[in-house]
Structures are given as structure tokens and as C-alpha cells.
């Protein structure tokens, strides 16, 4: 059953990433916008740029360092499933399909803790298991997650990571973000197959 759930999640991500030729126009804001002053409850980190993503109520905050070719990100998304779901964000540095995408995923483990880790979508049926550093084509560090409850708003999960971007690829990449309402056996279960869940894909230029 776990393999079947992983396959379903994978196939849905394939459908979303395959549609990345449709690159929606969404707001990327510089340090002059309100995203620069947004304070994260645990890290107290400030991010100079952000993108208000057009689906799933998600926002991506980031600090791009051109000299080091790295980007520090904070992906915010409403917590689905009454706190029993999962959220994820990933980059595909080499194409528009699912294979080759590296993602960071966060959810509540069966032991009650909020876990976050990088995972490699290396086939149409990836394990969704934590990836070892040696298996990451794009080095990722500082992966963590927290919950944040803003007054009058649904509780959010924030996933943090620092990504070492591939040399020679510039600053613009295809990315995908996702959320699902349940986790089974400490594996993210399938997300809905209609609406915003199959449209949460696009491209982002970290230099903007």
C-alpha cells in the first residue's frame, strides 16, 4: 500500500511538472515590499525577496547570493488536514519533468514531531525517503520546519533550506510546490487530483 501511495504522489507531481511550460505570472517582490519585514517566529530571519505563489495560498521567501550561487528559502503554506498533512517545495535544475527534481518536504511524524528533509524524485515512483547528502545533485543544507499561527489566519508550516544552485544555470529555475491532507506510515499520501493541486507549478528567477 505504501508503494502504491508513493506512486500516486509521484504521478501527480509528474502531471504538474510536465505542465511547467505554462509559467504563470505571479508577484515577485523586492526588499521594498512587506515580505522584507515578515518575521518568522523561531528563526527571526528576514528575507529580502519573496514570491506570492498563485496556488494553495503559499509564499516563497528567499535571499539569493549571486557570488556564492546560493539561495536561502523559507516556503510558507497553510497546514492541510487539520495538522495531519504535508507540504513540499522543490526545484528541477535540468528540465520541466518530475524526474530530476529535488524537494524539501515537511509533515508531522507519527511520534508527534514536525520533520523536514530533502528528498530526490529520481524516478516515477520515488521512495519519498530522506536523501543522503551523497545522493543530492544540488547540495541542500539547513533544512528545518516550524509551525506558525498568524492572528485570524490558518496555521502555516514554514520549511527552511539553503540550496547551492548548479553552476552555469543562471538564476531562473522551474519549481513546484504542493500540499496533501494526510500522511500514512510516515509517508506523504496522495494530494487531490484537481484544482490548485495540479496547477501549483511555475518558474522563478531568484535574482528578482
Amino acid at each position: 500500500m505504501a508503494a502504491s501511495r508513493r506512486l500516486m504522489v509521484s504521478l501527480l507531481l509528474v502531471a504538474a511538472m510536465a505542465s511547467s511550460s505554462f509559467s504563470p505570472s505571479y508577484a515577485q517582490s523586492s526588499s521594498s515590499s512587506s515580505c522584507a519585514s515578515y518575521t518568522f517566529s523561531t528563526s527571526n530571519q528576514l528575507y529580502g525577496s519573496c514570491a506570492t505563489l498563485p496556488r494553495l495560498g503559499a509564499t516563497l521567501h528567499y535571499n539569493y547570493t549571486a557570488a556564492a550561487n546560493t539561495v536561502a528559502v523559507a516556503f510558507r503554506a497553510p497546514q492541510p488536514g487539520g495538522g495531519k498533512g504535508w507540504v513540499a517545495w522543490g526545484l528541477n535544475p535540468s528540465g520541466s519533468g518530475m524526474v530530476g527534481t529535488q524537494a524539501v518536504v515537511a509533515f508531522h511524524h507519527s511520534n508527534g514531531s514536525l520533520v523536514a528533509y530533502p528528498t530526490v524524485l529520481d524516478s516515477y515512483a520515488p521512495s519519498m525517503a530522506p536523501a543522503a547528502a551523497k545522493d543530492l545533485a544540488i547540495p541542500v543544507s539547513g533544512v528545518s520546519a516550524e509551525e506558525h499561527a498568524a492572528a485570524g489566519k490558518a496555521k502555516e508550516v514554514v520549511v527552511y533550506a539553503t540550496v547551492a544552485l548548479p553552476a552555469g544555470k543562471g538564476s531562473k529555475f522551474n519549481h513546484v510546490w504542493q500540499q496533501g491532507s494526510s500522511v500514512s506510515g510516515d509517508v506523504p499520501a496522495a494530494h487531490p487530483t484537481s484544482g490548485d493541486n495540479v496547477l501549483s507549478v511555475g518558474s522563478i528567477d531568484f535574482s528578482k
Side-chain angles (χ1 to χ4, degrees):
M1 291 294 292
S4 176
R5 287 192 296 270
R6 287 194 294 268
L7 178 59
M8 185 172 292
V9 172
S10 301
L11 291 176
L12 293 174
L13 285 171
V14 169
M17 290 300 290
S19 68
S20 63
S21 57
F22 165 68
S23 297
S25 175
Y26 47 81
Q28 285 187 241
S29 303
S30 69
S31 58
S32 63
S33 75
S34 61
C35 71
S37 60
Y38 186 97
T39 301
F40 295 87
S41 59
T42 298
S43 69
N44 293 317
Q45 175 69 52
L46 295 179
Y47 294 85
S49 301
C50 70
T52 302
L53 304 179
R55 310 288 175 177
L56 303 176
T59 304
L60 184 70
H61 299 251
Y62 56 94
N63 286 331
Y64 173 59
T65 304
N69 203 33
T70 62
V71 61
V73 302
F75 171 71
R76 294 167 43 215
Q79 190 170 20
K84 298 180 180 179
W86 56 272
V87 301
W89 173 85
L91 286 181
N92 189 331
S94 59
S96 59
M98 184 197 78
V99 176
T101 297
Q102 286 187 192
V104 285
V105 59
F107 58 88
H108 278 100
H109 192 274
S110 58
N111 64 14
S113 65
L114 183 63
V115 298
Y117 56 77
T119 189
V120 178
L121 307 182
D122 57 358
S123 72
Y124 294 119
S127 68
M128 300 296 288
K134 65 181 179 62
D135 296 324
L136 296 175
I138 308 172
V140 180
S141 61
V143 179
S144 64
E146 68 176 16
E147 293 174 294
H148 177 70
K153 295 185 178 181
K155 185 177 290 187
E156 293 180 325
V157 173
V158 184
V159 187
Y160 300 99
T162 297
V163 181
L165 299 171
K169 296 289 186 178
S171 59
K172 187 174 182 179
F173 294 90
N174 292 319
H175 71 146
V176 62
W177 59 101
Q178 195 53 261
Q179 62 178 206
S181 61
S182 64
V183 174
S184 180
D186 293 326
V187 174
H191 61 71
T193 59
S194 62
D196 284 354
N197 290 89
V198 294
L199 297 172
S200 53
V201 62
S203 63
I204 186 165
D205 189 341
F206 291 119
S207 69
K208 296 183 178 179

